Amino acid sequence: EKRVDKGEYASLSELAAALTLMCDNARTYNAEGSPYHAAATKIKKAIQRETKRQSLAPAPVAASHSTPAPAPTPAPPLSDGLTRLLSVVKASKNDEGVPLHEPFVKLPTRKALPEYYEKVAHPIDLATI
């Protein structure tokens, strides 16, 4: 969350790409069917849903000639969208209600899991994001 807090993401799609990379890394390293693979898959789907939700703009209302068109609603600040996307990741839970994001907060050390760093080209965790 360091980069979000520092305002280093220029767009929602940039943050979504970083979060998706985190999930893809977990899916690359962990076997399909493992709890980490399943958590990464569920979080990735939540990222996709929220990114799509935020990118959908309300359809303009057709105004009659006698009624002036309403002023467009300003978009919320970028930081609100980024914070919302991170909140969605943190709110993701498994069927038992256990938060899914916790294994993704901090990367394993190179000493603890050297093979992770051999399989994953661009490691990233929530603490960094």
Side-chain angles (χ1 to χ4, degrees), residues 6 24 28 37 56 66 72 114 117 127:
K6 290 180 180 180
D24 288 344
T28 296
H37 191 282
L56 295 176
S66 62
Y117 293 90

Side-chain angles (χ1 to χ4, degrees), residues 28-42:
T28 296
Y29 180 74
N30 296 284
E32 191 170 340
S34 73
Y36 297 117
H37 191 282
T41 299
K42 191 165 186 174

